[in-house]
Amino acid sequence: MYAYILRRLLLIVPTLLGIMVINFAVVQILPGGPVEQMIAELTGDAIDATARVGGNAGAEAGAASQAPQAAKNVGLSGRYRGAQGLSPDLILSIEKQFGLDKPAHERFWLMIKSYITFDFGDSFFQDRSVTQLVIDKMPVSISLGLWTTLLVYLISIPLGIAKAVRDGSRFDIWTSGLVIFGNAVPGFLFAILLIILFAGGRYLDWFPLRGLTSPNFDELSSIGKIIDYFWHISLPLLSMVIGGFAGLTMLTKNSFIEEVNKQYVLTARAKGLTQQAVLYGHVFRNAMMIIIAGFPAAFVGILFTGSMLTEIIFSLDGLGLLGFEAALKRDFPVMFGTLYFFTLFGLLLGILSDLMYHVVDPRVDFEARDV
């Protein structure tokens, strides 16, 4: 077991490095960047109409008269859209401010060296450290992730078992409609529907639309804070649960059906054991192994991917919204810092998922398994 854990931990290094290299290279190719963002703020995103090709002599003369000045600024400013007319020294200072005056490979190496010590630097546009931003946003995302994962498992496992026991019955057929609905409707579309129906979008105005707490949250009593919290989280939580329970329900059902048809179950029934004794005394542990072992991975998926659109739609100030805004603004320290941290976190939880197999069923031998 220890040798397996060591191999998996060592495998994290090249995996993490490869993910960072690929994402860094892709970002270098994509148009736009923090320098363009700063230029847009300095210039007001203005467009020089005289630079366009016109059909009259006046426009052509205007463009020709500005040609000498444009030629002076073609050096550094020519590399950036909207930088025409800005001083090359100003462009250089902006590049130096963002650390973009160095070659790409040198910037990547410096970034990785600082990330090894978990020094993620400061945000380009928020004047705060990336670590502090993540710490501030994490409670919202963890709150959504934990409650969603808990509810998905509490709903899916009993429902999947009931569908397996009653396979082919009316109950199985009718509940399959819920599963089909959960698979067919994306969580973010269901979130929009909930807003329209219950958050003042068009019909009822029962639930708040923004945030996880009210402005007067600190003034409420302990019971009032709990009620206010669940009042705000109800719609986001429901939209995430509806998109997550369907797959786990069918996985539970199929796992139980597969185990029920095995020889040891027939032997147990032949000995006169009751249906409950067979189901929960013999089948349950074997059928639940893959489901329980997948809990860490399911939590990571819900926390870091499933919650992003929900946070944006409901204006929840969490990690999903932070990453979305960082991608729009090309805030590289936030983008790469959070990517490094959450990739490392996900890889460690992947090891934990494998170890959960051994916890659920000690017969699982990882030493004889190739990594």
Side-chain angles (χ1 to χ4, degrees):
M1 179 62 67
Y2 295 108
Y4 171 78
I5 296 175
L6 180 60
R7 290 198 304 269
R8 289 295 303 271
L9 289 175
L10 292 176
L11 191 60
I12 286 178
V13 177
T15 304
L16 182 60
L17 184 62
I19 292 173
M20 295 300 297
V21 167
I22 293 173
N23 282 273
F24 187 85
V26 169
V27 169
Q28 306 310 306
I29 298 172
L30 293 176
V35 176
E36 283 83 352
Q37 292 285 336
M38 182 63 72
I39 290 172
E41 293 180 9
L42 292 174
T43 61
D45 202 20
I47 299 176
D48 187 3
T50 59
R52 298 178 181 176
V53 178
N56 55 65
E60 292 177 358
S65 65
Q66 293 188 9
Q69 180 64 31
K72 295 178 182 179
N73 298 328
V74 130
L76 287 170
S77 61
R79 295 186 303 179
Y80 300 105
R81 181 180 178 183
Q84 196 71 22
L86 293 180
S87 167
D89 293 335
L90 176 60
I91 303 298
L92 250 180
S93 66
I94 295 175
E95 285 185 337
K96 189 173 182 179
Q97 176 186 347
F98 292 132
L100 300 177
D101 55 329
K102 301 179 179 67
H105 68 278
E106 185 177 343
R107 286 187 281 119
F108 179 79
W109 174 243
L110 292 173
M111 179 182 72
I112 292 298
K113 282 203 304 184
S114 62
Y115 284 4
I116 292 174
T117 60
F118 292 95
D119 178 13
F120 300 115
D122 298 327
S123 168
F124 284 161
F125 302 103
Q126 300 194 48
D127 196 26
R128 299 176 65 190
S129 68
V130 175
T131 303
Q132 189 60 49
L133 284 171
V134 171
I135 292 174
D136 289 346
K137 312 295 183 182
M138 191 172 285
V140 174
S141 295
I142 289 181
S143 179
L144 278 175
L146 284 177
W147 281 114
T148 302
T149 307
L150 179 63
L151 286 179
V152 165
Y153 270 74
L154 288 177
I155 293 171
S156 301
I157 292 176
L159 182 59
I161 295 174
K163 286 175 67 64
V165 173
R166 300 172 177 83
D167 186 35
S169 65
R170 285 189 175 182
F171 174 83
D172 183 37
I173 294 173
W174 284 105
T175 52
S176 294
L178 291 176
V179 173
I180 293 172
F181 178 79
N183 269 325
V185 180
F188 72 93
L189 286 182
F190 192 69
I192 296 173
L193 177 62
L194 291 175
I195 291 175
I196 294 173
L197 294 178
F198 302 112
R202 185 170 181 180
Y203 297 100
L204 304 174
D205 192 8
W206 290 352
F207 295 93
L209 185 58
R210 300 175 61 87
L212 282 184
T213 56
S214 299
N216 62 336
F217 182 78
D218 294 333
E219 303 172 4
L220 300 175
S221 63
S222 297
I223 300 297
K225 289 181 178 179
I226 295 175
I227 294 174
D228 182 76
Y229 169 74
F230 283 105
W231 181 47
H232 281 76
I233 203 175
S234 295
L235 294 188
L237 194 57
L238 183 58
S239 67
M240 293 180 66
V241 168
I242 198 67
F245 88 98
L248 186 59
T249 298
M250 294 309 299
L251 178 62
T252 305
K253 176 187 175 181
N254 294 334
S255 181
F256 267 79
I257 288 178
E258 181 181 356
E259 292 295 324
V260 165
N261 293 325
K262 290 185 176 179
Q263 185 63 43
Y264 75 90
V265 176
L266 299 177
T267 303
R269 286 174 176 170
K271 291 180 178 180
L273 295 180
T274 63
Q275 175 73 1
Q276 295 297 317
V278 172
L279 189 64
Y280 294 102
H282 295 271
V283 176
F284 186 82
R285 187 179 72 172
N286 294 329
M288 290 300 296
M289 185 173 68
I290 188 173
I291 299 166
I292 296 175
F295 180 86
F299 175 69
V300 170
I302 291 173
L303 180 61
F304 299 135
T305 58
S307 64
M308 186 186 76
L309 290 176
T310 302
E311 290 181 10
I312 295 172
I313 292 171
F314 287 98
S315 299
L316 302 176
D317 197 12
L319 296 173
L321 188 60
L322 175 66
F324 177 74
E325 292 177 345
L328 288 181
K329 294 180 178 179
R330 299 294 197 272
D331 196 343
F332 292 163
V334 176
M335 290 172 59
F336 293 119
T338 53
L339 174 67
Y340 179 89
F341 176 77
F342 295 134
T343 301
L344 178 61
F345 185 62
L347 291 172
L348 292 174
L349 282 183
I351 299 176
L352 180 61
S353 294
D354 285 348
L355 294 181
M356 287 291 291
Y357 282 103
H358 182 75
V359 173
V360 175
D361 188 353
R363 296 172 298 177
V364 176
D365 182 18
F366 286 105
E367 295 298 337
R369 173 184 168 188
D370 294 331
V371 179

